[in-house]
Amino acid sequence: MSGEVAPETLDAVRVRLARDGGALTPDRIARALRAEGRPVGDATVLAVHDALRRDVDGAGPLEPLLALPGVTDVLVNGAGQVWLDRGGGLELTAVRFADDEAVRRLAQRLAASAGRRLDDATPYADLRLPGGIRFHAVLAPVSRPGTVLSLRVPGSRSFDLAGLGRAGLLEADAQRVLARIVHARCSFLVTGGTGSGKTTLLNALLGEVDQAERIVLVEDAGELRPSHPHVIGLEARPPNLEGTGEITVRTLVRQALRMRPDRLVVGEVRGAEVVDLLAAMNTGHEGGCGTVHANSAADVPARIESLATAAGLGRLAAHSQLASAVDVVVHLDRDRRGVRRLREIGVLAREGDLVAVTPALAFPVGRVVEGPGVARLEELLG
């Protein structure tokens, strides 16, 4: 948990310091070690100090993992398993917690740092930490094999399309087509599963927007950081400890429409806000976009339908709005090795009263395959 310092030594020092009160200093740690009959040396004192400081100020033993280059996710499955993802799939680390109480204590402290409650009455939390990390926790015994933490680390820099090409997410032909989609002011959805790279790709696409245009972002948790000179970000807010003060994504979409957006962007469409987004795209707001969880491009209409009908929009109305609002679907996936890639670009087409996604371009490794929707895509791109 803390280098060469045994967990029982840390616990003993922690208890003594908490009982005596005062600031966390090397001198107090040395006195606590002596009082506990533990070895006292400069290296030991510094190791205990660093470990306890992380317990108080940072993410505890997870702090070194979060600082590793390229880390996108850190996952804690109880006290005995900590995993990380650096873009190539999950890796089991050597980090361990002394017991589940230590995991619970860290979870509660991180939640409190964002003003959220996490206890037996409310055993789960989803929030953004002050440094931008997306944090989710579920306390045991609701979760097994213990308290479960999921930390999503924002990228340290924004990729452009060329950078995503060098990273292997896009073929060169795909880069050119995607740039044309943005420049033609097509309305589009970036789709895929969790961790497939939707936000990363959307960031890069927004960097292609003409610099004279105004981008208004609406997000549940602020993750988009496009390289563009005129970006306004609106971020939803959960209820406070008293259960008041909530600001929903749907409310923010309505506010964004009053802010003269050239591009209205919803970072992740996953609720009733889909109704307002579709309405906005149907009332002159060209070039709007967002991300949606979907297993394939073909699944997108059903996904939008389910979100819209849950918000009170009828099935046929949802499909009609979708057909008029969205031009293109850009679908990513993540293979069994954890590699993220653009797989398909599709266009929307009516099939009677409903809407379907027609494949236009597919991107197997090293080549491009045209589908029946390619003529419609070229028409949209002018």
Side-chain angles (χ1 to χ4, degrees):
M1 171 176 175
S2 58
E4 299 179 357
V5 181
E8 56 270 21
T9 298
L10 279 178
D11 287 339
V13 173
R14 183 186 292 112
V15 170
R16 182 170 289 273
L17 292 179
R19 185 180 63 216
D20 296 343
L24 179 65
T25 64
D27 182 60
R28 291 191 65 232
I29 290 170
R31 291 202 302 269
L33 286 169
R34 292 191 190 96
E36 292 292 329
R38 312 279 179 170
V40 179
D42 289 346
T44 301
V45 170
L46 289 176
V48 172
H49 179 270
D50 288 346
L52 294 181
R53 181 192 56 77
R54 289 195 300 266
D55 276 352
V56 172
D57 298 329
L62 306 181
E63 196 74 29
L65 302 181
L66 295 171
L68 289 174
V71 166
T72 60
D73 297 88
V74 174
L75 310 172
V76 180
N77 301 344
Q81 290 187 356
V82 178
W83 301 75
L84 63 78
D85 188 349
R86 286 184 270 202
L90 291 174
E91 308 169 40
L92 183 63
T93 74
V95 174
R96 299 291 182 270
F97 287 80
D99 50 34
D100 194 67
E101 183 57 35
V103 187
R104 182 186 181 100
R105 188 165 55 242
L106 173 61
Q108 290 176 319
R109 181 170 58 74
L110 292 176
S113 72
R116 298 292 297 279
R117 174 178 174 178
L118 186 60
D119 53 27
D120 289 337
T122 308
Y124 48 83
D126 183 18
L127 52 95
R128 188 165 67 92
L129 299 175
I133 292 173
R134 183 72 177 265
F135 171 75
H136 181 269
V138 182
L139 300 181
V142 176
S143 59
R144 298 191 308 269
T147 296
V148 175
L149 312 182
S150 305
L151 294 94
R152 171 67 60 87
V153 183
S156 57
R157 64 188 180 94
S158 294
F159 286 93
D160 57 14
L161 292 179
L164 293 182
R166 290 189 294 271
L169 191 143
L170 303 175
E171 302 285 351
D173 288 329
Q175 296 173 43
R176 289 189 286 271
V177 173
L178 291 173
R180 290 179 64 195
I181 288 171
V182 175
H183 299 158
R185 295 184 61 81
C186 294
S187 297
F188 63 90
L189 295 175
V190 180
T191 67
T194 300
S196 59
K198 299 186 297 299
T199 300
T200 300
L201 178 57
L202 183 55
N203 242 336
L205 292 172
L206 293 176
E208 294 288 325
V209 172
D210 190 305
Q211 295 196 359
E213 296 184 31
R214 175 180 172 93
I215 300 173
V216 180
L217 308 174
V218 177
E219 297 181 85
D220 183 54
E223 295 179 308
L224 289 168
R225 297 289 187 274
S227 178
H228 191 278
H230 197 158
V231 178
I232 304 299
L234 303 178
E235 186 173 347
R237 187 175 69 194
N240 59 23
L241 293 176
E242 289 74 38
T244 61
E246 180 180 21
I247 302 175
T248 66
V249 171
R250 185 171 193 180
T251 296
L252 293 179
V253 170
R254 293 173 178 174
Q255 299 307 310
L257 293 174
R258 298 176 174 89
M259 298 173 69
R260 196 217 168 272
D262 291 303
R263 305 272 183 156
L264 174 62
V265 183
V266 178
E268 183 178 339
V269 180
R270 58 179 180 180
E273 66 274 3
V274 68
V275 174
D276 299 282
L277 180 62
L278 293 177
M281 291 180 175
N282 276 306
T283 54
H285 290 82
E286 295 180 342
C289 55
T291 72
V292 178
H293 277 78
N295 292 327
S296 69
D299 289 338
V300 171
R303 174 68 171 153
I304 296 297
E305 176 191 320
S306 66
L307 295 175
T309 53
L313 193 65
R315 185 188 188 202
L316 296 184
H319 278 261
S320 179
Q321 291 267 28
L322 176 61
S324 301
V326 178
D327 300 312
V328 178
V329 170
V330 178
H331 187 73
L332 300 142
D333 76 3
R334 182 175 180 170
D335 65 23
R336 294 178 180 178
R337 297 172 296 141
V339 177
R340 304 170 176 89
R341 286 182 54 80
L342 174 67
R343 297 299 179 184
E344 183 181 352
I345 295 176
V347 294
L348 276 75
R350 292 181 183 268
E351 293 186 353
D353 292 329
L354 302 181
V355 175
V357 174
T358 303
L361 297 171
F363 300 95
V365 177
R367 59 197 181 99
V368 181
V369 178
E370 293 186 354
V374 68
R376 173 57 179 160
L377 179 61
E378 282 297 328
E379 181 183 337
L380 289 168
L381 300 184

